[in-house]
Amino acid sequence: MTDLTTTILDRIRDVPDYPQAGVVFKDITPLLGDHVAFCAVIDALADELAVDKVVGIEARGFILAAPVAYRAGAGFVPVRKKGKLPAETLEASYDLEYGSAVIEVHRDAFSPGDRVLIVDDVLATGGTAQATVELVSRAGAHVVGVSVLMELAFLKGRDRLPDVDVRALVAV
Amino acid sequence: MTDLTTTILDRIRDVPDYPQAGVVFKDITPLLGDHVAFCAVIDALADELAVDKVVGIEARGFILAAPVAYRAGAGFVPVRKKGKLPAETLEASYDLEYGSAVIEVHRDAFSPGDRVLIVDDVLATGGTAQATVELVSRAGAHVVGVSVLMELAFLKGRDRLPDVDVRALVAV
Protein backbone atom coordinates (compact mmCIF):
# COMPACT_ATOMS: atom_id res chain seq x y z
CA MET A 1 0.00 0.00 0.00
CA THR A 2 1.12 3.56 -0.60
CA ASP A 3 1.53 5.97 2.29
CA LEU A 4 -1.64 7.77 1.26
CA THR A 5 -3.66 4.55 1.24
CA THR A 6 -2.45 3.74 4.74
CA THR A 7 -3.14 7.30 5.90
CA ILE A 8 -6.70 7.05 4.64
CA LEU A 9 -7.52 3.54 5.85
CA ASP A 10 -6.14 4.27 9.33
CA ARG A 11 -8.55 7.20 9.65
CA ILE A 12 -11.78 5.60 8.46
CA ARG A 13 -13.83 4.40 11.40
CA ASP A 14 -16.15 1.41 11.19
CA VAL A 15 -19.42 2.14 13.00
CA PRO A 16 -21.46 -1.05 13.40
CA ASP A 17 -25.24 -1.03 13.01
CA TYR A 18 -25.49 2.45 11.47
CA PRO A 19 -27.75 3.63 9.92
CA GLN A 20 -29.47 0.30 10.61
CA ALA A 21 -28.76 -3.05 12.24
CA GLY A 22 -26.32 -5.22 10.31
CA VAL A 23 -24.73 -2.36 8.36
CA VAL A 24 -21.14 -1.28 9.09
CA PHE A 25 -20.87 2.41 8.27
CA LYS A 26 -17.55 3.79 7.01
CA ASP A 27 -17.15 7.03 8.96
CA ILE A 28 -14.71 9.45 7.30
CA THR A 29 -14.90 12.19 9.95
CA PRO A 30 -11.63 11.14 11.67
CA LEU A 31 -9.93 11.57 8.30
CA LEU A 32 -11.51 14.98 7.68
CA GLY A 33 -10.49 16.20 11.12
CA ASP A 34 -6.81 15.35 10.65
CA HIS A 35 -5.35 18.32 8.78
CA VAL A 36 -2.43 16.46 7.25
CA ALA A 37 -4.59 13.61 5.98
CA PHE A 38 -7.40 15.93 4.85
CA CYS A 39 -5.04 18.11 2.79
CA ALA A 40 -3.30 15.06 1.29
CA VAL A 41 -6.66 13.65 0.19
CA ILE A 42 -7.71 16.91 -1.44
CA ASP A 43 -4.38 17.17 -3.26
CA ALA A 44 -4.70 13.59 -4.51
CA LEU A 45 -8.30 14.05 -5.68
CA ALA A 46 -7.37 17.24 -7.54
CA ASP A 47 -4.30 15.66 -9.12
CA GLU A 48 -3.53 16.27 -12.77
CA LEU A 49 -6.98 16.75 -14.24
CA ALA A 50 -7.54 20.14 -15.91
CA VAL A 51 -11.13 21.11 -15.19
CA ASP A 52 -13.38 24.15 -15.32
CA LYS A 53 -15.88 23.03 -12.70
CA VAL A 54 -15.99 20.50 -9.89
CA VAL A 55 -19.37 19.03 -9.00
CA GLY A 56 -20.14 17.97 -5.42
CA ILE A 57 -23.07 15.82 -4.39
CA GLU A 58 -25.06 16.78 -1.26
CA ALA A 59 -24.11 16.60 1.54
CA ARG A 60 -20.86 14.75 2.37
CA GLY A 61 -19.69 15.12 -1.22
CA PHE A 62 -19.52 18.89 -0.70
CA ILE A 63 -16.83 18.40 1.95
CA LEU A 64 -14.37 16.93 -0.54
CA ALA A 65 -15.53 18.48 -3.82
CA ALA A 66 -15.40 22.12 -2.72
CA PRO A 67 -11.74 22.04 -1.62
CA VAL A 68 -10.86 20.07 -4.74
CA ALA A 69 -12.41 22.91 -6.77
CA TYR A 70 -10.38 25.45 -4.81
CA ARG A 71 -7.18 23.41 -5.22
CA ALA A 72 -7.78 22.99 -8.96
CA GLY A 73 -8.66 26.67 -9.49
CA ALA A 74 -12.10 25.60 -10.71
CA GLY A 75 -15.64 26.73 -9.97
CA PHE A 76 -17.87 24.63 -7.71
CA VAL A 77 -21.32 23.35 -8.68
CA PRO A 78 -23.63 21.67 -6.14
CA VAL A 79 -25.88 18.75 -7.06
CA ARG A 80 -28.62 18.70 -4.46
CA LYS A 81 -31.62 16.71 -3.36
CA LYS A 82 -34.85 17.79 -5.01
CA GLY A 83 -36.24 21.11 -3.82
CA LYS A 84 -33.05 22.58 -2.39
CA LEU A 85 -31.85 24.63 -5.38
CA PRO A 86 -33.72 27.92 -5.82
CA ALA A 87 -33.46 28.61 -9.58
CA GLU A 88 -34.48 26.58 -12.64
CA THR A 89 -33.14 23.03 -12.47
CA LEU A 90 -32.62 19.81 -14.39
CA GLU A 91 -33.41 16.67 -12.45
CA ALA A 92 -32.56 12.98 -12.59
CA SER A 93 -33.79 10.06 -10.53
CA TYR A 94 -31.96 6.96 -9.40
CA ASP A 95 -32.93 3.78 -7.63
CA LEU A 96 -32.41 3.18 -3.95
CA GLU A 97 -32.70 -0.15 -2.18
CA TYR A 98 -36.34 0.72 -1.60
CA GLY A 99 -37.86 3.32 -3.92
CA SER A 100 -35.97 6.10 -5.67
CA ALA A 101 -34.49 9.55 -5.12
CA VAL A 102 -34.24 12.69 -7.24
CA ILE A 103 -31.26 15.02 -7.52
CA GLU A 104 -31.05 18.37 -9.27
CA VAL A 105 -28.57 20.83 -10.72
CA HIS A 106 -29.17 24.40 -11.83
CA ARG A 107 -29.88 24.52 -15.55
CA ASP A 108 -27.40 27.39 -15.99
CA ALA A 109 -24.65 25.90 -13.82
CA PHE A 110 -22.25 25.24 -16.69
CA SER A 111 -20.91 27.05 -19.72
CA PRO A 112 -21.10 25.03 -22.94
CA GLY A 113 -18.23 22.55 -23.12
CA ASP A 114 -17.09 23.03 -19.52
CA ARG A 115 -14.78 20.20 -18.43
CA VAL A 116 -16.28 18.81 -15.23
CA LEU A 117 -14.92 16.57 -12.50
CA ILE A 118 -17.46 14.91 -10.20
CA VAL A 119 -16.17 14.30 -6.67
CA ASP A 120 -17.88 12.28 -3.95
CA ASP A 121 -16.85 10.55 -0.76
CA VAL A 122 -18.01 7.02 -1.59
CA LEU A 123 -18.73 5.09 -4.77
CA ALA A 124 -21.18 2.37 -3.78
CA THR A 125 -23.76 1.06 -6.28
CA GLY A 126 -22.98 3.95 -8.62
CA GLY A 127 -26.59 5.12 -8.85
CA THR A 128 -25.93 8.64 -7.63
CA ALA A 129 -22.80 8.99 -9.74
CA GLN A 130 -24.59 7.75 -12.85
CA ALA A 131 -27.44 10.22 -12.32
CA THR A 132 -24.94 13.03 -11.77
CA VAL A 133 -23.06 12.19 -14.98
CA GLU A 134 -26.40 12.30 -16.79
CA LEU A 135 -27.27 15.70 -15.29
CA VAL A 136 -23.93 17.26 -16.20
CA SER A 137 -24.16 15.96 -19.75
CA ARG A 138 -27.73 17.19 -20.20
CA ALA A 139 -26.62 20.60 -18.91
CA GLY A 140 -24.18 20.83 -21.84
CA ALA A 141 -20.90 20.12 -20.09
CA HIS A 142 -18.32 17.36 -20.48
CA VAL A 143 -17.57 14.91 -17.66
CA VAL A 144 -13.82 14.29 -17.55
CA GLY A 145 -14.00 11.98 -14.56
CA VAL A 146 -15.53 10.78 -11.32
CA SER A 147 -13.13 10.83 -8.38
CA VAL A 148 -13.99 9.39 -5.00
CA LEU A 149 -12.22 8.90 -1.73
CA MET A 150 -13.43 5.34 -1.25
CA GLU A 151 -14.85 2.68 -3.53
CA LEU A 152 -16.95 -0.18 -2.17
CA ALA A 153 -15.67 -2.42 -4.93
CA PHE A 154 -17.94 -5.39 -4.15
CA LEU A 155 -20.96 -3.27 -5.16
CA LYS A 156 -19.54 -2.88 -8.69
CA GLY A 157 -20.54 0.79 -9.07
CA ARG A 158 -17.92 1.17 -11.79
CA ASP A 159 -19.96 -1.08 -14.04
CA ARG A 160 -22.65 1.60 -14.25
CA LEU A 161 -20.09 4.16 -15.47
CA PRO A 162 -18.55 2.33 -18.46
CA ASP A 163 -17.45 5.42 -20.40
CA VAL A 164 -16.21 7.45 -17.46
CA ASP A 165 -12.70 7.78 -16.00
CA VAL A 166 -13.44 6.57 -12.44
CA ARG A 167 -10.72 7.01 -9.85
CA ALA A 168 -10.78 5.98 -6.19
CA LEU A 169 -8.07 6.74 -3.65
CA VAL A 170 -8.85 3.54 -1.76
CA ALA A 171 -11.01 0.48 -2.35
CA VAL A 172 -12.58 -1.31 0.60
CA MET B 1 -16.83 49.08 -1.74
CA THR B 2 -13.77 46.93 -2.09
CA ASP B 3 -13.18 44.86 -5.20
CA LEU B 4 -14.06 41.70 -3.27
CA THR B 5 -17.35 43.13 -2.05
CA THR B 6 -18.30 44.04 -5.61
CA THR B 7 -17.20 40.63 -6.87
CA ILE B 8 -19.42 38.93 -4.31
CA LEU B 9 -22.50 41.12 -4.63
CA ASP B 10 -22.42 40.89 -8.45
CA ARG B 11 -22.60 37.09 -8.19
CA ILE B 12 -25.38 36.67 -5.65
CA ARG B 13 -28.67 36.09 -7.38
CA ASP B 14 -31.98 37.18 -5.91
CA VAL B 15 -34.61 34.46 -6.39
CA PRO B 16 -38.07 35.81 -5.54
CA ASP B 17 -40.64 33.66 -3.74
CA TYR B 18 -38.21 30.93 -2.70
CA PRO B 19 -38.58 28.87 -0.56
CA GLN B 20 -42.00 30.47 -0.11
CA ALA B 21 -44.05 33.37 -1.43
CA GLY B 22 -42.80 36.77 -0.30
CA VAL B 23 -39.25 35.64 0.49
CA VAL B 24 -36.34 36.75 -1.71
CA PHE B 25 -33.68 34.03 -1.55
CA LYS B 26 -30.01 35.00 -1.86
CA ASP B 27 -28.59 32.36 -4.22
CA ILE B 28 -24.81 32.03 -3.97
CA THR B 29 -24.39 29.37 -6.66
CA PRO B 30 -23.31 31.88 -9.35
CA LEU B 31 -20.52 32.96 -7.00
CA LEU B 32 -19.46 29.36 -6.27
CA GLY B 33 -19.36 28.55 -9.97
CA ASP B 34 -17.01 31.41 -10.85
CA HIS B 35 -13.54 30.07 -10.09
CA VAL B 36 -11.92 33.46 -9.56
CA ALA B 37 -14.63 34.68 -7.21
CA PHE B 38 -14.86 31.33 -5.39
CA CYS B 39 -11.12 31.20 -4.71
CA ALA B 40 -11.05 34.86 -3.62
CA VAL B 41 -13.86 34.22 -1.13
CA ILE B 42 -12.09 31.18 0.34
CA ASP B 43 -8.84 33.14 0.68
CA ALA B 44 -10.66 35.98 2.42
CA LEU B 45 -12.54 33.69 4.81
CA ALA B 46 -9.30 31.89 5.73
CA ASP B 47 -7.40 35.13 6.20
CA GLU B 48 -5.07 35.57 9.16
CA LEU B 49 -6.71 33.38 11.78
CA ALA B 50 -4.51 30.54 13.07
CA VAL B 51 -6.82 27.60 13.68
CA ASP B 52 -6.63 23.85 14.27
CA LYS B 53 -10.09 22.98 12.99
CA VAL B 54 -12.71 24.59 10.79
CA VAL B 55 -16.35 23.72 11.48
CA GLY B 56 -18.89 23.67 8.65
CA ILE B 57 -22.64 23.58 9.12
CA GLU B 58 -24.70 21.25 6.91
CA ALA B 59 -25.22 21.58 4.01
CA ARG B 60 -24.27 24.83 2.25
CA GLY B 61 -21.83 25.69 5.01
CA PHE B 62 -19.74 22.67 3.97
CA ILE B 63 -19.10 24.28 0.58
CA LEU B 64 -17.23 27.20 2.11
CA ALA B 65 -15.91 25.71 5.34
CA ALA B 66 -14.13 22.70 3.81
CA PRO B 67 -11.96 24.73 1.40
CA VAL B 68 -11.25 27.25 4.17
CA ALA B 69 -9.96 24.32 6.25
CA TYR B 70 -7.79 23.19 3.33
CA ARG B 71 -6.49 26.73 2.75
CA ALA B 72 -5.74 27.21 6.44
CA GLY B 73 -4.06 23.80 6.80
CA ALA B 74 -6.67 22.83 9.38
CA GLY B 75 -8.85 19.79 9.92
CA PHE B 76 -12.53 19.90 9.00
CA VAL B 77 -15.39 19.07 11.38
CA PRO B 78 -18.99 18.76 10.18
CA VAL B 79 -21.93 19.94 12.27
CA ARG B 80 -24.95 18.07 10.97
CA LYS B 81 -28.68 17.81 11.38
CA LYS B 82 -29.73 15.28 14.00
CA GLY B 83 -29.29 11.64 13.03
CA LYS B 84 -26.69 12.11 10.28
CA LEU B 85 -23.49 11.53 12.28
CA PRO B 86 -22.76 7.86 12.99
CA ALA B 87 -20.74 7.94 16.23
CA GLU B 88 -21.45 9.40 19.68
CA THR B 89 -22.60 13.00 19.47
CA LEU B 90 -23.33 16.15 21.44
CA GLU B 91 -26.47 17.98 20.37
CA ALA B 92 -27.92 21.47 20.65
CA SER B 93 -31.29 22.83 19.62
CA TYR B 94 -32.20 26.25 18.28
CA ASP B 95 -35.42 28.03 17.44
CA LEU B 96 -36.81 28.33 13.96
CA GLU B 97 -39.63 30.62 12.89
CA TYR B 98 -41.96 27.73 13.66
CA GLY B 99 -40.68 25.07 16.02
CA SER B 100 -37.02 24.16 16.54
CA ALA B 101 -34.17 22.15 15.03
CA VAL B 102 -31.37 20.04 16.46
CA ILE B 103 -27.78 19.91 15.26
CA GLU B 104 -25.02 17.56 16.33
CA VAL B 105 -21.26 17.19 16.38
CA HIS B 106 -19.20 14.11 17.16
CA ARG B 107 -18.21 14.08 20.83
CA ASP B 108 -14.60 13.26 19.90
CA ALA B 109 -14.31 15.76 17.03
CA PHE B 110 -11.86 18.04 18.82
CA SER B 111 -8.69 17.74 20.83
CA PRO B 112 -8.74 19.70 24.12
CA GLY B 113 -8.03 23.37 23.48
CA ASP B 114 -8.33 23.17 19.69
CA ARG B 115 -8.71 26.64 18.17
CA VAL B 116 -11.83 26.49 16.01
CA LEU B 117 -13.19 28.72 13.26
CA ILE B 118 -16.87 28.31 12.38
CA VAL B 119 -17.67 29.07 8.74
CA ASP B 120 -21.11 29.37 7.16
CA ASP B 121 -22.60 30.96 4.09
CA VAL B 122 -25.15 33.24 5.75
CA LEU B 123 -25.55 34.78 9.19
CA ALA B 124 -29.28 35.43 9.58
CA THR B 125 -30.91 35.33 13.03
CA GLY B 126 -27.78 33.75 14.49
CA GLY B 127 -29.61 30.77 15.96
CA THR B 128 -27.58 28.15 14.12
CA ALA B 129 -24.31 29.94 14.79
CA GLN B 130 -25.11 30.31 18.48
CA ALA B 131 -25.95 26.60 18.78
CA THR B 132 -22.74 25.71 16.95
CA VAL B 133 -20.63 27.88 19.26
CA GLU B 134 -22.26 26.11 22.20
CA LEU B 135 -21.51 22.67 20.71
CA VAL B 136 -17.86 23.46 20.06
CA SER B 137 -17.40 24.84 23.57
CA ARG B 138 -19.09 21.84 25.18
CA ALA B 139 -16.82 19.55 23.13
CA GLY B 140 -13.81 21.16 24.84
CA ALA B 141 -12.52 23.39 22.06
CA HIS B 142 -12.12 27.17 21.78
CA VAL B 143 -14.08 29.20 19.23
CA VAL B 144 -11.78 31.84 17.75
CA GLY B 145 -14.39 33.23 15.39
CA VAL B 146 -17.44 32.89 13.19
CA SER B 147 -16.81 33.85 9.57
CA VAL B 148 -19.58 34.08 7.00
CA LEU B 149 -19.85 35.08 3.39
CA MET B 150 -22.95 37.19 3.88
CA GLU B 151 -24.64 38.79 6.86
CA LEU B 152 -28.31 39.73 6.81
CA ALA B 153 -27.62 42.63 9.13
CA PHE B 154 -31.27 43.60 9.68
CA LEU B 155 -31.82 40.29 11.50
CA LYS B 156 -29.21 41.25 14.12
CA GLY B 157 -27.67 37.77 14.37
CA ARG B 158 -24.51 39.32 15.80
CA ASP B 159 -26.41 40.26 18.95
CA ARG B 160 -26.72 36.57 19.82
CA LEU B 161 -22.93 36.13 19.61
CA PRO B 162 -21.71 38.87 21.98
CA ASP B 163 -18.39 37.28 22.93
CA VAL B 164 -17.47 35.98 19.49
CA ASP B 165 -15.32 37.55 16.76
CA VAL B 166 -17.92 37.63 13.95
CA ARG B 167 -16.71 38.50 10.47
CA ALA B 168 -18.77 38.84 7.30
CA LEU B 169 -17.36 39.45 3.83
CA VAL B 170 -20.51 41.35 2.82
CA ALA B 171 -23.61 42.65 4.58
CA VAL B 172 -26.90 42.83 2.74
Side-chain angles (χ1 to χ4, degrees):
Chain A
M1 290 194 293
T2 66
D3 285 351
L4 181 61
T5 305
T6 307
T7 297
I8 293 169
L9 293 176
D10 283 351
R11 288 165 183 78
I12 292 176
R13 168 165 60 182
D14 283 348
V15 181
D17 299 322
Y18 182 92
Q20 59 195 61
V23 174
V24 178
F25 186 82
K26 298 287 182 186
D27 177 20
I28 67 168
T29 61
L31 172 66
L32 301 174
D34 179 320
H35 72 279
V36 175
F38 176 61
C39 291
V41 161
I42 299 307
D43 289 342
L45 288 169
D47 193 34
E48 294 181 19
L49 294 172
V51 296
D52 301 300
K53 302 266 169 64
V54 175
V55 166
I57 302 167
E58 183 174 10
R60 281 197 311 272
F62 292 173
I63 299 170
L64 297 173
V68 168
Y70 175 83
R71 170 69 168 71
F76 174 81
V77 174
V79 162
R80 300 202 65 176
K81 298 178 177 81
K82 186 173 172 64
K84 297 290 191 73
L85 288 170
E88 197 183 351
T89 62
L90 299 169
E91 63 179 54
S93 64
Y94 59 98
D95 293 335
L96 298 174
E97 193 173 1
Y98 301 101
S100 65
V102 176
I103 53 176
E104 296 184 314
V105 72
H106 274 148
R107 186 179 286 272
D108 64 358
F110 305 102
S111 301
D114 267 354
R115 292 159 303 168
V116 174
L117 175 66
I118 297 166
V119 173
D120 207 357
D121 59 337
V122 176
L123 179 67
T125 65
T128 316
Q130 186 182 32
T132 303
V133 168
E134 178 197 327
L135 278 181
V136 173
S137 301
R138 283 168 49 208
H142 173 64
V143 176
V144 300
V146 172
S147 289
V148 299
L149 169 62
M150 182 178 17
E151 178 179 6
L152 306 181
F154 64 98
L155 292 173
K156 301 187 187 301
R158 248 171 222 275
D159 293 354
R160 297 177 72 159
L161 303 163
D163 302 319
V164 180
D165 180 8
V166 179
R167 302 177 183 201
L169 299 187
V170 298
V172 294
Chain B
M1 290 195 293
T2 66
D3 285 352
L4 181 61
T5 306
T6 307
T7 296
I8 293 169
L9 293 176
D10 283 352
R11 289 166 183 78
I12 292 176
R13 168 164 60 182
D14 283 348
V15 181
D17 299 321
Y18 181 91
Q20 59 195 59
V23 174
V24 177
F25 186 83
K26 298 287 183 186
D27 177 21
I28 66 169
T29 62
L31 172 66
L32 301 173
D34 179 320
H35 72 280
V36 174
F38 176 61
C39 291
V41 161
I42 299 308
D43 289 342
L45 287 170
D47 193 32
E48 294 182 19
L49 294 173
V51 296
D52 301 300
K53 302 265 169 62
V54 175
V55 165
I57 302 168
E58 183 173 10
R60 281 197 311 272
F62 292 173
I63 300 170
L64 298 174
V68 168
Y70 175 83
R71 171 68 168 74
F76 175 81
V77 174
V79 162
R80 302 202 65 177
K81 298 178 177 81
K82 186 174 172 62
K84 298 290 191 72
L85 288 170
E88 197 184 349
T89 62
L90 299 170
E91 63 179 54
S93 64
Y94 59 99
D95 293 335
L96 297 174
E97 193 173 1
Y98 302 100
S100 65
V102 176
I103 54 176
E104 295 183 316
V105 74
H106 274 148
R107 186 179 286 273
D108 65 357
F110 305 102
S111 300
D114 267 354
R115 293 160 302 168
V116 174
L117 175 67
I118 298 166
V119 173
D120 207 357
D121 59 336
V122 175
L123 179 67
T125 65
T128 316
Q130 186 182 32
T132 304
V133 168
E134 179 198 326
L135 278 181
V136 173
S137 301
R138 283 168 49 207
H142 173 64
V143 176
V144 300
V146 172
S147 290
V148 299
L149 170 62
M150 181 177 18
E151 178 180 6
L152 306 182
F154 65 98
L155 291 173
K156 301 186 186 303
R158 250 172 220 274
D159 294 354
R160 297 176 72 160
L161 303 163
D163 302 319
V164 180
D165 180 7
V166 179
R167 302 177 183 200
L169 299 187
V170 298
V172 294

